[in-house]
Coordinates of all heavy atoms in Angstrom, one line a residue:
R547 N -117.4 13.5 37.7 CA -117.8 12.9 38.9 C -116.9 11.7 39.3 O -116.5 11.6 40.4 CB -119.3 12.3 38.7 CG -119.8 11.7 40.0 CD -121.1 10.9 39.7 NE -121.6 10.3 40.9 CZ -121.2 9.3 41.5 NH1 -120.1 8.6 41.0 NH2 -121.7 8.8 42.6
T548 N -116.6 10.8 38.3 CA -115.7 9.7 38.6 C -114.3 10.1 39.1 O -113.8 9.6 40.1 CB -115.6 8.8 37.3 OG1 -116.9 8.4 36.9 CG2 -114.7 7.6 37.6
A549 N -113.8 11.1 38.4 CA -112.4 11.5 38.8 C -112.4 12.1 40.2 O -111.5 11.9 41.0 CB -111.9 12.6 37.8
M550 N -113.5 12.9 40.5 CA -113.5 13.5 41.8 C -113.8 12.5 42.9 O -113.2 12.6 44.0 CB -114.6 14.6 41.9 CG -114.2 15.8 41.0 SD -115.4 17.2 41.1 CE -115.1 17.8 42.8
V551 N -114.7 11.6 42.7 CA -115.0 10.5 43.7 C -113.8 9.7 44.0 O -113.5 9.3 45.1 CB -116.2 9.6 43.2 CG1 -116.2 8.3 44.0 CG2 -117.5 10.4 43.3
K552 N -112.9 9.5 43.0 CA -111.7 8.7 43.2 C -110.6 9.5 43.8 O -109.5 9.0 44.1 CB -111.2 8.2 41.8 CG -112.1 7.0 41.3 CD -111.5 6.5 40.0 CE -112.3 5.3 39.5 NZ -111.8 4.7 38.2
G553 N -110.9 10.8 44.1 CA -109.9 11.6 44.8 C -108.8 12.1 43.9 O -107.7 12.4 44.4
K554 N -109.0 12.2 42.6 CA -107.9 12.7 41.7 C -107.9 14.2 41.6 O -108.8 14.9 42.0 CB -108.2 12.1 40.3 CG -108.1 10.6 40.2 CD -108.2 10.1 38.8 CE -108.0 8.5 38.8 NZ -108.2 8.0 37.4
T555 N -106.8 14.7 41.1 CA -106.6 16.1 40.8 C -106.4 16.2 39.3 O -105.7 15.5 38.6 CB -105.3 16.6 41.5 OG1 -105.4 16.5 42.9 CG2 -105.0 18.1 41.1
G556 N -107.2 17.2 38.7 CA -107.1 17.3 37.2 C -108.0 18.4 36.7 O -108.5 19.3 37.5
T557 N -108.2 18.4 35.4 CA -109.0 19.4 34.8 C -109.9 18.8 33.6 O -109.5 17.7 33.1 CB -108.2 20.6 34.2 OG1 -109.0 21.6 33.6 CG2 -107.2 20.0 33.1
L558 N -111.0 19.4 33.3 CA -111.9 18.9 32.3 C -112.6 20.1 31.6 O -112.9 21.1 32.3 CB -112.9 18.0 32.9 CG -114.0 17.4 32.0 CD1 -113.4 16.3 31.1 CD2 -115.1 16.8 32.8
T559 N -112.8 20.1 30.3 CA -113.5 21.2 29.6 C -114.8 20.6 29.1 O -114.8 19.6 28.5 CB -112.6 21.7 28.5 OG1 -111.4 22.3 29.1 CG2 -113.4 22.9 27.8
L560 N -115.9 21.4 29.3 CA -117.2 21.0 28.8 C -117.9 22.1 28.2 O -117.8 23.3 28.7 CB -118.1 20.4 30.0 CG -117.7 19.1 30.6 CD1 -118.6 18.8 31.8 CD2 -117.8 17.9 29.6
D561 N -118.6 21.9 27.1 CA -119.6 22.9 26.6 C -120.9 22.7 27.3 O -121.4 21.6 27.3 CB -119.8 22.6 25.1 CG -118.5 23.0 24.3 OD1 -118.0 24.1 24.5 OD2 -118.1 22.2 23.4
V562 N -121.4 23.7 28.0 CA -122.6 23.6 28.8 C -123.7 24.5 28.4 O -123.4 25.6 27.8 CB -122.3 23.8 30.3 CG1 -121.2 22.8 30.8 CG2 -121.8 25.2 30.6
R563 N -124.9 24.1 28.7 CA -126.1 25.0 28.6 C -126.4 25.4 30.0 O -126.8 24.6 30.8 CB -127.2 24.2 28.0 CG -127.1 23.9 26.5 CD -128.0 22.8 26.1 NE -127.5 21.5 26.5 CZ -128.1 20.3 26.3 NH1 -129.3 20.3 25.7 NH2 -127.5 19.2 26.7
A564 N -126.2 26.7 30.3 CA -126.5 27.2 31.6 C -127.8 28.0 31.5 O -128.3 28.3 30.4 CB -125.4 28.2 32.1
A565 N -128.5 28.2 32.6 CA -129.7 28.9 32.6 C -129.9 29.7 33.9 O -129.4 29.3 34.9 CB -130.9 28.0 32.4
V566 N -130.5 30.9 33.7 CA -130.7 31.8 34.9 C -132.2 32.2 34.9 O -132.9 31.8 34.0 CB -129.8 33.0 34.9 CG1 -128.3 32.6 35.0 CG2 -130.0 33.9 33.7
D567 N -132.5 33.0 35.9 CA -133.9 33.5 36.1 C -134.9 32.4 36.1 O -135.8 32.2 35.2 CB -134.2 34.5 34.9 CG -135.4 35.4 35.2 OD1 -135.8 35.4 36.4 OD2 -135.9 36.0 34.3
K568 N -134.8 31.5 37.2 CA -135.7 30.3 37.4 C -135.6 29.4 36.2 O -136.5 28.7 35.8 CB -137.1 30.8 37.5 CG -137.4 31.8 38.6 CD -137.0 31.4 40.0 CE -137.4 32.4 41.0 NZ -136.9 32.1 42.4

Side-chain angles (χ1 to χ4, degrees):
R547 183 193 182 281
T548 300
M550 292 185 70
V551 165
K552 288 183 176 180
K554 293 183 177 180
T555 297
T557 183
L558 178 74
T559 300
L560 290 174
D561 291 311
V562 303
R563 287 160 285 179
V566 296
D567 200 12
K568 310 295 185 188

